[in-house]
Amino acid sequence: MNSELLRKLPKIDELLKEKEVQEAIDNNPRTLVVEALRDTINFFRQEILKDRIEILDKEEVLSHALNLVSKKNQSNLRKVINATGTVIHTNLGRSLLGEKAIENVITVAGSYNNLEYDIETGKRGSRYSHIEELIKKVTGAEAAMVVNNNAAAIMLVLDTLSKGKEAIVSRGQLVEIGGSFRVPEVMKFSGAKLVEIGTTNRTHLYDYANNITEDTGVLLKIHTSNFKIYGFTEEVSLEELVTLGNEKNIPVVEDIGSGVLIDFSKYGFTYEPTVQESIRKGVDVVTFSGDKMLGGPQAGIIVGKKQYIDLMKKNQLTRALRIDKMTLAALEGTLKYYLDETEAIRNIPSLNMILCSKEEVKKKCIKLKKKLQRDIDWFNFTIDSDYSMVGGGSMPTEKIPTFVIKVTSDKFSPQELERILRTGETSIICRISNNELILDGRTLFDKDFDTIVQCFSNIK
Ligand SMILES: *Cc1c(COP(=O)(O)O)cnc(C)c1O
């Protein structure tokens, strides 16, 4: 039986003559199609050897091969649908760009541009000039520059201001962010000597004052953006730190993390310190991420006093940490929205999703549920209230009231369903809560609803 089926397995040359395969070759690299045919034949050979096939259907072999071709030709880095409700999902690419930012990226990616060219003088220009004024305007800082990410920003700041010198940090602020960023390690790497002061829960102004020596390079404050400690705690305020720094003529540096540029407490959220506030309070240098609460591309933004920013611009490290034209284009497009807060909230997807009311999310859920129910009757869809998270190590204790669609089925466990949706033609990333599969409406877009329905229809 087996040997007869094995004999019937088509050869690659034979399959190559098929019309559909020829079409696939017209639209895909030939090597890739041949590879898919070879993989398909191997797959069916294994199935036959394992006695899992009784009749060999050539159509089935072809369709398996053509599916494989489209899978192989997909980009590795590709779109997924985020149904987790976590808005700034670091594993799913953090912030989505607003329209203006996307337009800018497309323009500079496909055209020559004035990246380092001064159109007025016809001479060489600086890539940072395009956004420095805008960052200054939005944050109120004297000067600004941008590097690859906030980790790079801190490294550059410490390398410039504290190399071979001591950087004083509270023990309560020696944070780890997402595993790849640990304050003590970044500091070691930068060549600054870490001087830990205070305790995990309490650090006083005298802890800073008593540890200042001739070797002190900076007083560093790190915003503990991804956790909160409660109870018997004490932190030195920015004002006090700035006063001490001014007295001793030592720059005060703050890593504010998320890059919050609007006051979220106005919208019912816990207050998160803004970049503008730190600048107003006289902090010498502030660093923050471009792709967290700011809602732009991956970038590390450094703002503060001109004398310090100028030193950083001259640092050789800046060349190694410099950002690409696409980042600049995206950042300019994003920051322009901030010239008007309402525009920012309307057009920057991260802000928009975080501030979207639960009633709005419910409307989205109802619309999607209707579409799902119309086409699919082998799953149960129900709407329920739940909570979303901001994510990206931002506002860790904030639970945003939301609405979700719960999916149940007699045939699949929530874990199986989660895997099937994750590995389908378009990946839908869901969460499981209380042993139920959940699609959170907060991070879903109307434009993806048909795709979501299609993904569910594919599950039989
Ligand atoms: C996220 C974060 C960082 C790292 O920023 P990246 O832009 O991811 O490099 C550093 N410090 C704080 C406080 C953060 O929240």
Side-chain angles (χ1 to χ4, degrees), residues 212-237:
I212 290 176
T213 68
E214 280 171 10
D215 290 332
T216 306
V218 296
L219 304 179
L220 179 61
K221 182 180 168 85
I222 293 141
H223 179 50
T224 53
S225 51
N226 61 355
F227 70 99
K228 293 248 189 286
I229 54 170
Y230 297 101
F232 189 52
T233 62
E234 172 92 33
E235 224 186 21
V236 175
S237 73

Short mmCIF file of all heavy atoms in Angstrom, two decimals, residues 212-237:
data_model
loop_
_atom_site.label_atom_id
_atom_site.label_comp_id
_atom_site.label_asym_id
_atom_site.label_seq_id
_atom_site.Cartn_x
_atom_site.Cartn_y
_atom_site.Cartn_z
N ILE A 212 28.22 63.70 47.70
CA ILE A 212 28.83 64.52 46.65
C ILE A 212 30.31 64.73 46.98
O ILE A 212 30.66 65.07 48.11
CB ILE A 212 28.11 65.88 46.52
CG1 ILE A 212 26.71 65.65 45.93
CG2 ILE A 212 28.91 66.85 45.64
CD1 ILE A 212 25.86 66.90 45.85
N THR A 213 31.16 64.44 45.97
CA THR A 213 32.61 64.65 46.16
C THR A 213 33.14 65.41 44.95
O THR A 213 32.37 65.77 44.05
CB THR A 213 33.37 63.30 46.23
OG1 THR A 213 33.30 62.70 44.92
CG2 THR A 213 32.79 62.37 47.27
N GLU A 214 34.44 65.60 44.91
CA GLU A 214 35.05 66.27 43.74
C GLU A 214 34.85 65.45 42.48
O GLU A 214 34.91 65.97 41.38
CB GLU A 214 36.56 66.39 43.98
CG GLU A 214 36.93 67.54 44.87
CD GLU A 214 38.40 67.49 45.26
OE1 GLU A 214 39.16 66.67 44.68
OE2 GLU A 214 38.78 68.27 46.14
N ASP A 215 34.63 64.15 42.67
CA ASP A 215 34.50 63.26 41.51
C ASP A 215 33.06 63.11 41.01
O ASP A 215 32.81 62.37 40.07
CB ASP A 215 35.02 61.86 41.88
CG ASP A 215 36.52 61.85 42.04
OD1 ASP A 215 37.17 62.70 41.39
OD2 ASP A 215 37.03 61.03 42.82
N THR A 216 32.13 63.78 41.65
CA THR A 216 30.74 63.62 41.23
C THR A 216 30.52 64.26 39.85
O THR A 216 30.85 65.43 39.65
CB THR A 216 29.77 64.26 42.25
OG1 THR A 216 30.06 63.71 43.54
CG2 THR A 216 28.33 63.98 41.89
N GLY A 217 29.99 63.46 38.93
CA GLY A 217 29.71 63.97 37.58
C GLY A 217 28.29 64.45 37.43
O GLY A 217 28.03 65.54 36.90
N VAL A 218 27.32 63.63 37.87
CA VAL A 218 25.90 64.00 37.75
C VAL A 218 25.12 63.47 38.95
O VAL A 218 25.51 62.51 39.60
CB VAL A 218 25.23 63.43 36.46
CG1 VAL A 218 25.84 63.99 35.20
CG2 VAL A 218 25.28 61.90 36.44
N LEU A 219 23.99 64.13 39.18
CA LEU A 219 22.97 63.58 40.07
C LEU A 219 21.90 63.02 39.13
O LEU A 219 21.34 63.76 38.31
CB LEU A 219 22.36 64.67 40.96
CG LEU A 219 23.34 65.48 41.82
CD1 LEU A 219 22.60 66.54 42.63
CD2 LEU A 219 24.13 64.56 42.75
N LEU A 220 21.68 61.71 39.21
CA LEU A 220 20.79 61.07 38.24
C LEU A 220 19.48 60.67 38.91
O LEU A 220 19.49 60.03 39.97
CB LEU A 220 21.50 59.84 37.66
CG LEU A 220 20.73 59.00 36.64
CD1 LEU A 220 20.37 59.82 35.41
CD2 LEU A 220 21.56 57.79 36.22
N LYS A 221 18.38 61.05 38.28
CA LYS A 221 17.07 60.61 38.77
C LYS A 221 16.42 59.78 37.69
O LYS A 221 16.36 60.18 36.53
CB LYS A 221 16.19 61.81 39.11
CG LYS A 221 14.83 61.40 39.67
CD LYS A 221 13.98 62.63 40.00
CE LYS A 221 12.55 62.24 40.28
NZ LYS A 221 12.32 61.83 41.66
N ILE A 222 15.97 58.60 38.07
CA ILE A 222 15.30 57.74 37.09
C ILE A 222 13.85 57.59 37.48
O ILE A 222 13.54 57.25 38.62
CB ILE A 222 15.99 56.37 37.00
CG1 ILE A 222 17.40 56.58 36.42
CG2 ILE A 222 15.22 55.42 36.10
CD1 ILE A 222 18.41 55.74 37.05
N HIS A 223 12.99 57.90 36.53
CA HIS A 223 11.57 57.75 36.82
C HIS A 223 11.24 56.26 36.85
O HIS A 223 11.48 55.54 35.88
CB HIS A 223 10.74 58.46 35.74
CG HIS A 223 9.27 58.32 35.96
ND1 HIS A 223 8.69 58.61 37.17
CD2 HIS A 223 8.27 57.94 35.14
CE1 HIS A 223 7.39 58.40 37.08
NE2 HIS A 223 7.11 57.99 35.86
N THR A 224 10.72 55.79 37.97
CA THR A 224 10.41 54.36 38.10
C THR A 224 9.07 54.14 37.41
O THR A 224 8.04 53.96 38.04
CB THR A 224 10.34 53.96 39.58
OG1 THR A 224 9.44 54.84 40.24
CG2 THR A 224 11.68 54.05 40.23
N SER A 225 9.15 54.13 36.06
CA SER A 225 7.90 54.16 35.29
C SER A 225 7.19 52.81 35.28
O SER A 225 5.98 52.75 35.07
CB SER A 225 8.18 54.61 33.85
OG SER A 225 9.22 53.85 33.30
N ASN A 226 7.92 51.70 35.52
CA ASN A 226 7.24 50.41 35.35
C ASN A 226 6.88 49.70 36.65
O ASN A 226 6.52 48.54 36.64
CB ASN A 226 8.05 49.49 34.42
CG ASN A 226 9.44 49.18 34.97
OD1 ASN A 226 9.83 49.73 35.99
ND2 ASN A 226 10.15 48.31 34.30
N PHE A 227 7.02 50.38 37.78
CA PHE A 227 6.51 49.79 39.03
C PHE A 227 6.25 50.92 40.02
O PHE A 227 6.66 52.06 39.82
CB PHE A 227 7.52 48.79 39.63
CG PHE A 227 8.77 49.44 40.18
CD1 PHE A 227 8.89 49.67 41.55
CD2 PHE A 227 9.79 49.83 39.35
CE1 PHE A 227 10.04 50.27 42.07
CE2 PHE A 227 10.94 50.43 39.86
CZ PHE A 227 11.07 50.65 41.22
N LYS A 228 5.52 50.60 41.05
CA LYS A 228 5.25 51.60 42.09
C LYS A 228 5.55 50.95 43.44
O LYS A 228 5.31 49.77 43.63
CB LYS A 228 3.77 52.00 42.08
CG LYS A 228 3.33 52.76 40.83
CD LYS A 228 2.99 54.19 41.19
CE LYS A 228 2.35 54.94 40.03
NZ LYS A 228 3.28 55.31 38.98
N ILE A 229 6.10 51.72 44.35
CA ILE A 229 6.19 51.19 45.72
C ILE A 229 5.30 52.05 46.62
O ILE A 229 5.19 53.27 46.45
CB ILE A 229 7.63 51.10 46.28
CG1 ILE A 229 8.36 52.44 46.20
CG2 ILE A 229 8.43 50.04 45.58
CD1 ILE A 229 9.67 52.43 46.97
N TYR A 230 4.64 51.36 47.53
CA TYR A 230 3.72 52.05 48.42
C TYR A 230 4.17 51.86 49.86
O TYR A 230 4.94 50.97 50.17
CB TYR A 230 2.30 51.46 48.26
CG TYR A 230 1.72 51.66 46.89
CD1 TYR A 230 1.73 50.62 45.96
CD2 TYR A 230 1.18 52.89 46.53
CE1 TYR A 230 1.21 50.80 44.70
CE2 TYR A 230 0.65 53.08 45.27
CZ TYR A 230 0.66 52.03 44.35
OH TYR A 230 0.14 52.22 43.11
N GLY A 231 3.63 52.66 50.75
CA GLY A 231 3.89 52.48 52.18
C GLY A 231 4.88 53.49 52.68
O GLY A 231 4.80 54.68 52.34
N PHE A 232 5.85 53.02 53.46
CA PHE A 232 6.82 53.89 54.12
C PHE A 232 7.90 54.25 53.11
O PHE A 232 8.94 53.61 53.01
CB PHE A 232 7.40 53.14 55.32
CG PHE A 232 8.26 54.00 56.21
CD1 PHE A 232 7.79 55.21 56.71
CD2 PHE A 232 9.53 53.58 56.56
CE1 PHE A 232 8.59 56.00 57.53
CE2 PHE A 232 10.33 54.36 57.38
CZ PHE A 232 9.86 55.57 57.87
N THR A 233 7.62 55.28 52.30
CA THR A 233 8.54 55.63 51.22
C THR A 233 8.88 57.10 51.27
O THR A 233 8.14 57.92 51.81
CB THR A 233 7.92 55.34 49.84
OG1 THR A 233 6.76 56.16 49.68
CG2 THR A 233 7.53 53.88 49.69
N GLU A 234 10.02 57.42 50.67
CA GLU A 234 10.44 58.81 50.60
C GLU A 234 11.36 58.97 49.40
O GLU A 234 12.28 58.19 49.20
CB GLU A 234 11.21 59.17 51.89
CG GLU A 234 11.88 60.52 51.89
CD GLU A 234 10.99 61.64 52.46
OE1 GLU A 234 10.20 61.34 53.37
OE2 GLU A 234 11.10 62.78 51.99
N GLU A 235 11.00 59.95 48.56
CA GLU A 235 11.83 60.22 47.40
C GLU A 235 12.14 61.71 47.42
O GLU A 235 11.31 62.50 47.84
CB GLU A 235 11.04 59.87 46.14
CG GLU A 235 11.83 59.12 45.12
CD GLU A 235 11.06 58.92 43.81
OE1 GLU A 235 10.10 59.67 43.55
OE2 GLU A 235 11.42 58.02 43.08
N VAL A 236 13.30 62.06 46.94
CA VAL A 236 13.65 63.48 46.90
C VAL A 236 12.97 64.12 45.70
O VAL A 236 13.00 63.56 44.60
CB VAL A 236 15.18 63.64 46.84
CG1 VAL A 236 15.56 65.10 46.66
CG2 VAL A 236 15.82 63.07 48.09
N SER A 237 12.33 65.26 45.89
CA SER A 237 11.62 65.90 44.77
C SER A 237 12.62 66.48 43.78
O SER A 237 13.78 66.77 44.13
CB SER A 237 10.70 67.00 45.30
OG SER A 237 11.49 68.10 45.71
#
